[in-house]
Amino acid sequence: MTDTTAPAEPYVCPHCEATHAHEHVDERAVVLGHRRRLAVVSGLRAGLVVLTVVGVLLWLPVTAGLTLVASGVLAWALATATGLLVASLDLARQGGQGQAAGAGSRRLVTVSVLTGAALTPVAALLVALAGRALVDGIGTGAAAMVATAAGTGWLTASAAADVVRALRLRNLLGAESRAGEVARAAAVRTRDRADEWTQVATVVATAAVVALWVGLCHQLSVVVVVLVPLHVALVALSRRLLSGRPRTR
């Protein structure tokens, strides 16, 4: 008598009951992790702003320090708002040519960023001129004070915008709505390409560069002629490097 082998049990995923072998993704855990990361990064941004503002106020007289920090905020707002305005006008002009939505969005971001980059050294010059009226002297020490306060203002504005954006996304990820479902699906799809920490580093590096431009303009105004193309080139290069990073899928 011949023994018969019992048929193998069909594969059933213990998570989703699918019958084909696959890698299971715990979507709830991914979304919760994303929300926690957004909260942590937002807290880090806020902490950096508080530390730098306190440092400026300990170094400079309160009135001069706050005025220069506010000037840095206004410089960021000027560069950002003008960049968005120019990009919106450009997109409206291109709209009648049947441009694809994705290409239009990329063009909007590119034009906005590069326009803002071109205006950043000009805004730095304006802040440096204001700094000359608020801080006595045009030496290295005075330039360092003005530059630090202006960079702090730039960091404050850009970090605040990022915090607002991150907290909105965090709330959206927990919302019971169609928009919330789309946001959660995107979070799961891009779970291996999180760039929140890169964004923090980019914001800090940009604020440091702006502070350097302010310090240089504080000592020699005409240097802005060189800084405009230099800053545009730096921004374009950094965007290319970041977009070309290897991504895990």
Side-chain angles (χ1 to χ4, degrees):
M1 186 172 181
T2 305
D3 294 333
T4 58
T5 304
E9 292 292 331
Y11 172 82
V12 178
C13 177
H15 301 285
C16 60
E17 298 185 353
T19 57
H20 62 281
H22 64 284
E23 179 185 359
H24 181 79
V25 177
D26 189 341
E27 296 185 2
R28 184 173 183 276
V30 171
V31 172
L32 290 176
H34 195 181
R35 296 188 73 205
R36 284 194 298 269
R37 189 166 60 251
L38 289 171
V40 170
V41 172
S42 297
L44 176 61
R45 288 185 174 115
L48 285 173
V49 168
V50 171
L51 288 176
T52 52
V53 170
V54 170
V56 166
L57 296 182
L58 291 176
W59 192 10
L60 289 170
V62 174
T63 301
L66 289 178
T67 302
L68 288 171
V69 169
S71 298
V73 172
L74 290 175
W76 177 89
L78 172 66
T80 303
T82 305
L84 288 173
L85 176 61
V86 171
S88 299
L89 293 175
D90 175 74
L91 187 62
R93 183 176 62 85
Q94 297 288 330
Q97 300 180 9
Q99 194 174 40
S105 178
R106 289 191 296 272
R107 183 182 178 92
L108 176 70
V109 173
T110 300
V111 173
S112 174
V113 170
L114 294 182
T115 302
L119 289 175
T120 295
V122 178
L125 173 61
L126 297 177
V127 175
L129 294 177
R132 291 180 183 178
L134 293 169
V135 178
D136 294 332
I138 57 173
T140 304
M145 291 181 183
V146 174
T148 302
T152 296
W154 189 282
L155 176 65
T156 299
S158 54
D162 285 345
V163 166
V164 170
R165 187 162 49 245
L167 293 182
R168 283 179 177 175
L169 176 57
R170 186 176 185 275
N171 290 334
L172 184 60
L173 287 170
E176 294 298 332
S177 62
R178 175 58 182 167
E181 292 177 3
V182 172
R184 287 189 288 272
V188 173
R189 187 174 61 253
T190 61
R191 63 189 181 278
D192 296 326
R193 305 195 296 274
D195 60 351
E196 286 83 7
W197 298 110
T198 302
Q199 291 174 5
V200 172
T202 301
V203 166
V204 173
T206 303
V209 170
V210 170
L212 177 60
W213 294 169
V214 171
L216 292 175
C217 290
H218 185 271
Q219 294 187 296
L220 185 63
S221 300
V222 73
V223 76
V224 72
V225 177
V226 177
L227 296 182
V228 170
L230 176 60
H231 194 73
V232 172
L234 288 175
V235 170
L237 177 61
S238 64
R239 282 175 57 81
R240 178 175 297 182
L241 291 176
L242 290 176
S243 63
R245 288 183 307 161
R247 293 179 174 181
T248 305
R249 294 188 181 273

